[in-house]
Amino acid sequence: MSKLERRKKQKRKLSGTMRKKLAGLFILVLLALVGLTLRITYINAKSGDKYKKQVLIQSQQQYDSRTIPFKRGDITDRNGTVLATSSKVYNVILDCKVVNSNKDYVEPTVKALTEQLGLDEDTIRGLLTNEQTKNSQYQILKKEISMDEKKAFEAYTAVPEDSKLSEEERLEKKNVQGVWFEEDYLRKYPMNALACDTLGFTFAGNVADWGIEGYYNSTLNGVDGRKYGYFNQDSDLEQTIIDPVNGNSVVSTLDVNIQQVIEKYISAFDTAMSKENFKKEDKKEDEEEDSSKAKKITKGAANIGVIVANPNTGEILGMASSDPYDLNNPRDLTGIYTEEEIKRMNDESQLDALNAMWQNYCVTEAYEPGSTVKPVIVASALEAGAITENDTFVCDGGQQVADRFIKCSIYPDAHGTQSLGEVIQNSCNDGLMAIGKKMGAETFLRYQKTFNFGSRTGIDLPGEGTGILHTKDTLNAVELATSSFGQGFTCTMVQELAALSSVINGGTYYQPHVVNRIVDDKGKTVKTIEPTVLKQTISPDISAEIRDYMGMSVKSGTSKTSKVQGYSMGGKTGTAQKIPRGSGKYLVSFIGFAPLDDPQVVIYVVVDEPNAERQDNSKYPQYIAQAVLSEILPYMDIFPDEDTSQATVLWEGFTGVKKQNDVGAEDQEEDDGDAQESDISGDGIEDENVPDPPENQESEDEVEPNNQESDGITNEEAGLSE
C-alpha cells in the first residue's frame, strides 16, 4: 500500500470518529434541551402562576393602588368672598428600591433632588443606604410643594427630542429615577386672622375641632378616590380610576366688610387703652416692673367680644374677640405671649394657652351679664302680668332684702319715683329688684328658661356654653333681687344676643346661626338653612314698649354715648361686678340696635376687665359699638331716619383710625362734650352683699340644648316674612 493511500485511510478513520463524537454531542445537547423543556413545563404547570405574579408585581411598582385625595369644600362669606379654601400641593416621594436597583441612578437622582427641590443631600443618601429604608418604596422627602416646583423638577428631568444636550447630559437626566409626586391639598385662609374664632382651622389632614371648620367638618369633607394599576390575563397594563368626591362648600352668614370693621375697632380700642395706661403707669410706678405687669398693660382689657347680627333672622353678620391668631399658623403664640413666657411653658401649659386662644369667647365663655338683661326681665314681667306699662317705682338708693341691704348704682343718691321707661333709662337696680319681687321666683325662673338662659342656643358652632341658673331651691329673696339686675347667674354672649333680639323684633326667638347655605363643588345649592323660629317669647305690643324704653336709654340715659347721629337707636348698658366682690374688677357691656321702630341690626359688645383705674365704666363698650355702627349702618343701606346735620364724633382713642365712610372724619378730633367726657358712666354696684352665682349646674339631663335637630319652625312655616 502506498504512502498516499495510507494517509487517505487514516483521514477517513478520523473523519468517522469526529462524526461519531459530534453525533454523540448533538444527542447529549438534544437530550439536555428535552430535559430542560420538560423541567420548564413541569415548573410552569406546578408554579407558573406564582412566578408570573412575582414578575408582574416587580414590573408594575409604579402602577399599584394609590389614593386620589378629595378637595375639602370652601368657606365663604355671604357675598362669596373666600375665607377658607384648599389648594393642590404635592408630597415628594422617594422609591429607594428603584434608585438602588442601578448604581447609575444614585448620583443623578441625588443631584436633581438637592439642586431642584433644595433637599438635604445627607438625608437622601441616608435613606438610600440605611438597612431599614434602602428597599423602601415610599419615603416622604418633602411635603406640600407647589405645582410650580413640581413642574420645574419635571422640566429638569425631561429630555425633549429636539434637545441640544450632549449624550452624557441626556443619560444623566434619564437616570433620575425613583422620584414621584403624591397629590394632596393644603388648607389656606386668604384673610389670615380675620374671623379666626368663628372659622376655626384644620389640623393635619382634614380634621377640625373649632369654628365652622369643626362644626361642619363632615360636610366640608369628601371621599378619597383610588387609582388601581394592574396587568390583565394577556399581560397588558390596565388602569382603573375611581374619582374622588369633593366636599361641599359652606356659605356663611358673615359679611367680610362688617367683620373687618369689628376687628378694626377691637384692635384700636386695645391699642388706645394700652397706650393710655402706659402713660398712667409711668407716672405712678417705678421703672422696675416685672414681666407679668408689663404684659398686662399691653392689653386694653382681659378680653373683648363683639357680635353683630340680624335680629329678624338670627344670622350672625360678624363675630370677634381680642387676641386673634393667624389661621395659617394657628400654633403661634407670639401675638399674645412674650418669647420668654413661651420658653417657660411646658407641653401642658402650652396646650392650655393654645386652647384658650382658639376658643370663641362669644360662644363659650359664661359670665354675669349685668344690666343688659334688664330689658329682658322687664319684658318678662310685662308678659307675665306681674307689672303694667303704667306702674311707677320708687328708688331710694337701695333695698333691704332679708338680712342685707343691696344698693342701687346711684347710692347714696336715689332716682326717686320713676316710670317703667325711666327704670330702663336710668338702669335702676332698685326698680328692677321691685320688679323681680313682683314676679316671684317661680315666674322669674320660668321666663329665664323661656329666653333660653341656662340652655344652649343651638348655634352652629362647637363649644357653646350654657351658663348657670338658680333653681327653685336656691333662688331665695336675695338671689332673686340680684338676678333681676343681671348678677347671680351666668350666660354667654350668644344667649344674651338671641334673647334680646327676640325682645326687640316682636317676640320671635330665632336660633342664631353662622351658615345659611351648603353648595356642592359645582356651585349648586345642596341645602338652604332657613331662619329657624324656636318660640314666641313676648307679644309684639310689649316688644314695641321695650324698644321705646331702650330708645330712652340712648337718648338721655346710660346708653347715650353709643349714639350714631342720624339714626334712631335703642340700647342698654351693663356693668357686672366680678368675683370676688369688692375687688374692683368689672365686666362692662352694651347691647344696642337700629333703627328704633324696625330693628335691622343688633350689636353686643363686652369689655372684660378694661385696663383702667376704674373698670366700672360702661362707656368703654359704647365707644366700640358707636364706632362699628357708624360704619356698618350706611354700608348695610340702612338709611338715616333722624337729623343728619351733625356728624358722629367717635371716642378720642379712635382718632386717626381710618373709616370706610369719611362722613364727619374731619371733625373727629373735636370734643362733643359727651362721647369723650372722662367721668364714670355705668350702672354697676360696689356692694359686697351681692351673692355669687351657684357653683354647680343642674344635672345634664335637665339641660336640653337647642340644636339644628330641634323642633323649631322656619319663617315660612310660621307665616313670617324673611
Side-chain angles (χ1 to χ4, degrees), residues 456-713:
R456 296 178 180 87
T457 66
I459 188 172
D460 45 349
L461 288 172
E464 182 181 8
T466 59
I468 302 175
L469 304 182
H470 281 284
T471 66
K472 293 179 182 179
D473 295 332
T474 61
L475 192 65
N476 300 313
V478 172
E479 287 76 19
L480 175 59
T482 58
S483 292
S484 68
F485 54 79
Q487 300 232 223
F489 71 94
T490 62
C491 71
T492 65
M493 284 189 68
V494 72
Q495 281 178 332
E496 166 66 10
L497 180 92
L500 195 280
S501 292
S502 77
V503 167
I504 64 173
N505 71 11
T508 305
Y509 189 100
Y510 287 94
Q511 187 176 61
H513 60 284
V514 294
V515 168
N516 60 25
R517 274 193 304 133
I518 308 295
V519 299
D520 62 21
D521 60 345
K522 297 178 178 59
K524 181 181 178 182
T525 298
V526 175
K527 180 180 180 181
T528 299
I529 301 173
E530 299 286 352
T532 301
V533 177
L534 295 180
K535 62 188 79 174
Q536 188 74 19
T537 56
I538 58 174
S539 70
D541 290 341
I542 291 176
S543 175
E545 289 288 341
I546 300 298
R547 289 198 300 270
D548 287 343
Y549 301 159
M550 295 180 72
M552 294 170 61
S553 180
V554 172
K555 186 175 181 179
S556 54
T558 60
S559 303
K560 60 185 179 181
T561 302
S562 67
K563 177 67 175 176
V564 177
Q565 297 299 326
Y567 292 92
S568 62
M569 293 174 53
K572 185 67 195 76
T573 53
T575 309
Q577 188 181 55
K578 298 187 71 173
I579 300 171
R581 310 301 187 196
S583 64
K585 293 184 177 182
Y586 286 82
L587 181 145
V588 289
S589 58
F590 170 79
I591 193 162
F593 61 91
L596 187 64
D597 293 331
D598 183 23
Q600 297 299 304
V601 63
V602 59
I603 184 170
Y604 186 28
V605 181
V606 167
V607 180
D608 186 8
E609 296 184 26
N611 185 25
E613 291 183 36
R614 289 281 305 274
Q615 294 185 359
D616 57 334
N617 188 346
S618 64
K619 283 188 175 182
Y620 294 135
Q622 292 184 72
Y623 294 150
I624 298 173
Q626 181 195 47
V628 171
L629 289 173
S630 71
E631 293 198 39
I632 69 172
L633 289 173
Y635 166 74
M636 295 176 66
D637 291 329
I638 298 175
F639 296 100
D641 57 351
E642 291 185 347
D643 180 21
T644 59
S645 61
Q646 292 185 343
T648 300
V649 181
L650 304 185
W651 176 49
E652 60 186 359
F654 293 147
T655 301
V657 178
K658 187 177 180 180
K659 296 183 67 177
Q660 289 183 355
N661 57 329
D662 294 324
V663 178
E666 66 278 3
D667 301 322
Q668 285 190 26
E669 294 187 11
E670 297 180 7
D671 190 348
D672 68 351
D674 176 60
Q676 298 176 15
E677 62 188 13
S678 59
D679 62 297
I680 298 296
S681 174
D683 45 12
I685 56 170
E686 279 291 349
D687 193 341
E688 297 182 13
N689 288 327
V690 176
D692 297 348
E695 295 183 1
N696 298 317
Q697 175 65 59
E698 295 176 280
S699 68
E700 203 60 35
D701 292 337
E702 297 180 36
V703 178
E704 192 172 321
N706 292 320
N707 52 47
Q708 293 195 346
E709 286 71 45
S710 67
D711 295 328
I713 58 176

Side-chain angles (χ1 to χ4, degrees), residues 69-128:
F70 66 82
K71 181 182 179 183
R72 186 175 172 92
D74 293 344
I75 302 175
T76 69
D77 85 333
R78 64 192 305 113
N79 302 312
T81 302
V82 176
L83 302 174
T85 189
S86 294
S87 301
K88 184 172 282 190
V89 292
Y90 300 88
N91 298 329
V92 183
I93 309 300
L94 180 65
D95 188 330
C96 300
K97 188 172 183 178
V98 169
V99 178
N100 286 327
S101 67
N102 188 327
K103 64 180 182 179
D104 293 336
Y105 294 165
V106 176
E107 295 305 324
T109 303
V110 172
K111 179 182 177 182
L113 289 169
T114 54
E115 291 185 357
Q116 298 302 310
L117 297 177
L119 299 177
D120 181 64
E121 181 176 344
D122 292 338
T123 300
I124 300 170
R125 293 189 184 278
L127 292 171
L128 293 173

Side-chain angles (χ1 to χ4, degrees), residues 414-445:
H415 289 116
T417 302
Q418 305 169 99
S419 67
L420 192 55
E422 289 170 332
V423 170
I424 295 293
Q425 172 186 296
N426 299 323
S427 194
C428 178
N429 290 343
D430 201 353
L432 262 296
M433 285 189 281
I435 292 171
K437 184 177 181 180
K438 285 177 175 289
M439 291 180 72
E442 185 175 350
T443 301
F444 189 89
L445 289 172

